[in-house]
Each structure stands twice: as C-alpha cells, then as structure tokens.
Amino acid sequence: MKRLIMTAFAIAILSSAAYADTIKIGVIGPFSGPFALQGKNFKAGIDAWLAVNGNEIGGNDIQIVYRDVPQADPAQSKSLAQELIVREGVQYLAGFYFTPDAMAATPLLQQGNVPMVVMNAATSSIVTASPYVVRTSFTMWQNTTPIAKVAKDQGVTKVITLVSDYGPGIDAENAFKTAFEKEGGQVVEAIRMPLSTNDFAPLMQRVKDSGAEALFSFLPSGPPTLAFVKAYNDNGLKAAGIKFFATGDLTPESDLPALGDAALGLTTTYHYAVSHDSPENKAFVAAAEKAIGNPAELTFPAVGAYDGMYVISRMIEATGGKKDAKKAIEAVKGLAWTSPRGPVAIDPESRHITQNVYLREVARDESGKYINKEIQTFEKQGDPGLAFVKK
Ligand code: PHB
C-alpha cells in the first residue's frame, strides 16, 4: 500500500513537472492586409521578450494565441475576443492596434475575468471603459501636448489641424488645440479626414489656402501616414514655408526609407524612437531585429508589445498563474521599470503608462540610416486627456 502511494505521488510530481500549466495569452492585431507590418511589430516585440526572458513565467509555459483583425473592425474584434476567452481559455487579452477594436472588447473583461493589456490603441478613454485595462503604449494627448509647445516656441502662431475622423484623431485634434491655445496660438481650421482617405493632394491645397503657417496631423501609422507625408513633400508645402508638426505616428522608422531625403527635418513628438540611446534599448533592438527578420521593418508597436509582455509576466507571478483578473491588475498598479524607451510606470489611478516624450527630427545617422533623432526630452508625462474624458 505504502509503495502504491509513493508511486502515485512520484507520478503526480513527475507529471506536474512535465506538464506545467500552460497560460494562454490572446493577442488581437492586424496580421494581414495594409497594416500587417504593425501586427508584425507586435509579434516581434512579444517574440523578443520571450527570447530574452524565456517561455516560462513562474513555472508556467506561455502560449501566445494570435487573432487577425486587419483593419479597425469592432464587431470582428469583439467576436474574436469572445472566442479567445470562451473557447481558447486565454487568461490575458493583449495587442489591439486600433482604438475601436480595443473598445469593443472591454465589456467582456469583467465577466470573463480577463485583464486586457493595450499594446497600441491610443484614445485616452480606453482605460476608463473597464477597470481591467492596462495600457503600455501611449495616448494622443500624451504625445501631442508637447508638440504644440514646440510649434509655439518655433514662432508659429497659426496652425491647421488634419486628423483621421475617429477616436485617436479627435483626441489629437483636441489635445493640439487645447495646448496650442494655452500657449497663445490659434488653430485656423480643423479638418477631419475619413479613415479611408488615400488621396491627400486636395487637402494639401486646403492647407495652402488656409493661411496657416504650419500643419499638425494625425493618422494611424501605416499606409495612410506614408501617403500623407509624401503628399506634404510632393505638393510644395515645405517650399511654401508651411511647417510640419505631428506625433511620431507619421514618421515610423519603417516609412523613412520610402520618404527619403524629403523627410529630413520633419519634427515629431513621441514616446519611442528605435534609435533611442540606452543599454536597455540596444538589448531590445538586437532581440527585436532578430525576431522581425528585416531590421528596416522595426518600429514602435514592438516596444508597446515588449513592455506589455513584461506587465503580463508580473501579473502571472502575482497571481501564481491562477485566473484572477482583479488581483493581476492590482499587482501592476504603480509598477515602475526601465523600458527600452526610458523610465516608465503604470499610473495606479488610470492604469495608463507614464513616460518621457521626446522631440525628434528626421535625420541620418553616421551610417546614413534615416532615424528619428531625439533632441529634447519632456520627462514623466502622464495622460492629460483623462481630464477630458466624459464621465
Ligand atoms: C488607434 O487606433 O488608437 C491608433 C492607431 C494607430 C496609431 C495610433 C493610434 O498610430
């Protein structure tokens, strides 16, 4: 009898070692279609984190389950999130490139007992939609507010804003106007462009006709931003003396070779540049370049994903691998660490990431590579947009 018990015990131990619990993380993003490169950057950031830290967290094997939502599509995002929670049994939801996709999945979190780690979507209100959301990316208010000050410091007083007509675009428009008017500047015209806009030449004419000394713009990073910046360069705005201000969404490193010398000098504010000079970033870039395959494709969603994985790892440790969304979220409130982008912390009130925002200029490095060269730091920026979210 004793021997039998001992054997059963040994088998139990052996099997628990051999079959450690597998924790599934469901990641929703654009993995095909026009924004596939942005999804590829999510995957590169996640793979880089797993390569550096290993595939096991607190004795649990980690499995990433990807679901593809090619363009902003809240209905598809919600149904895939539901499938991930119910059928796949994921313990965490993560990714979310587009705001509408993140928003649509937030009503599922509480009942599903699943935290959401937003790795990109940047509308301020997402964190207020559910107490189970944490964000490791940025917000439009956070990255836009400093560029309004930069514009005014450069002597610009009249600006025209052009933004994509959805959540983050509207946040960017409001953030720019609020901060620029506070500095004594004036927004002479505010244009909202349908997300489907791909011909920007007529808009460039409107910019010229507006009497503005500069434009401020936001579009979701990807094919629309490349086309927009090309239109700015090709339609003689620079030659007409109209300055360009934007968040870094418009000058992702992956677009710079295609824009070429015409992009030199474009000024943006953003939370991350691939060229950021720190040991943490060097280590991250080495791992992420390896993960993505083609180093020229590496850009910002990768760092949101990498840091998102760190946050999830701390949640898994805090819950001992058990499904407990509330405990997981509580564990990362106030969490501070050194990200590849610089020092960051999860604000315990909002669950959004506090971080430096950098002023950058498109330049060439010593090797001739186009980079977003950091020239000024706005330290420890929170999200000014939260004060404007309708309660
Ligand atoms: C968003 O939909 O929230 C979004 C998408 C792309 C960006 C920034 C924000 O570059």
Side-chain angles (χ1 to χ4, degrees), residues 9-257:
F9 190 61
I11 289 171
I13 289 184
L14 272 177
S15 60
S16 78
Y19 305 101
D21 279 352
T22 294
I23 294 180
K24 291 185 182 178
I25 303 169
V27 177
I28 291 180
F31 299 105
S32 68
F35 293 92
L37 186 64
Q38 282 64 32
K40 197 172 174 186
N41 270 276
F42 274 168
K43 189 164 187 304
I46 292 166
D47 287 347
W49 196 90
L50 293 171
V52 171
N53 298 280
N55 213 70
E56 212 185 272
I57 302 172
N60 304 281
D61 285 333
I62 301 304
Q63 188 190 340
I64 314 287
V65 185
Y66 289 98
R67 289 292 179 270
D68 181 21
V69 180
Q71 311 217 28
D73 185 342
Q76 190 187 16
S77 175
K78 187 172 185 180
S79 91
L80 288 174
Q82 177 99 29
E83 183 253 334
L84 283 167
I85 295 171
V86 177
R87 269 226 328 243
E88 284 290 338
V90 301
Q91 260 192 50
Y92 296 88
L93 277 178
F96 300 100
Y97 188 68
F98 294 106
T99 288
D101 299 343
M103 274 298 195
T106 56
L108 306 174
L109 305 176
Q110 194 140 3
Q111 213 197 346
N113 192 16
V114 170
M116 172 192 282
V117 178
V118 176
M119 295 172 164
N120 188 69
T123 302
S124 288
S125 59
I126 298 170
V127 290
T128 68
S130 161
Y132 293 105
V133 179
V134 179
R135 175 159 41 200
T136 57
S137 52
F138 57 96
T139 69
M140 296 317 301
W141 276 87
Q142 188 174 37
N143 280 334
T144 299
T145 303
I147 197 78
K149 190 172 169 355
V150 169
K152 195 67 197 348
D153 288 348
Q154 291 190 11
V156 171
T157 56
K158 289 191 170 78
V159 171
I160 179 168
T161 62
L162 302 99
V163 302
S164 292
D165 191 6
Y166 80 122
I170 292 160
D171 270 13
E173 179 190 288
N174 288 331
F176 189 87
K177 188 177 163 68
T178 303
F180 197 54
E181 286 181 349
K182 205 169 140 201
E183 297 288 328
Q186 188 195 351
V187 173
V188 295
E189 200 177 333
I191 297 176
R192 293 183 182 178
M193 310 172 280
L195 255 182
S196 57
T197 309
N198 51 34
D199 177 12
F200 298 100
L203 289 161
M204 294 304 152
Q205 190 55 48
R206 276 179 73 182
V207 172
K208 283 190 203 162
D209 295 343
S210 72
E213 299 150 355
L215 67 77
F216 166 80
S217 183
F218 166 79
L219 302 94
S221 208
T225 50
L226 182 61
F228 184 91
V229 180
K230 271 198 169 138
Y232 170 82
N233 290 336
D234 295 348
N235 286 271
L237 273 80
K238 208 186 212 169
I242 297 168
K243 292 189 177 183
F244 176 99
F245 297 104
T247 55
D249 304 273
L250 271 78
T251 60
E253 285 78 3
S254 49
D255 278 1
L256 298 181

Side-chain angles (χ1 to χ4, degrees), residues 317-339:
E317 281 164 8
T319 51
K322 299 277 176 306
K323 198 174 180 194
D324 187 341
K326 204 165 177 186
K327 195 169 182 183
I329 292 283
E330 284 306 319
V332 297
K333 287 184 179 173
L335 184 66
W337 72 101
T338 306
S339 155

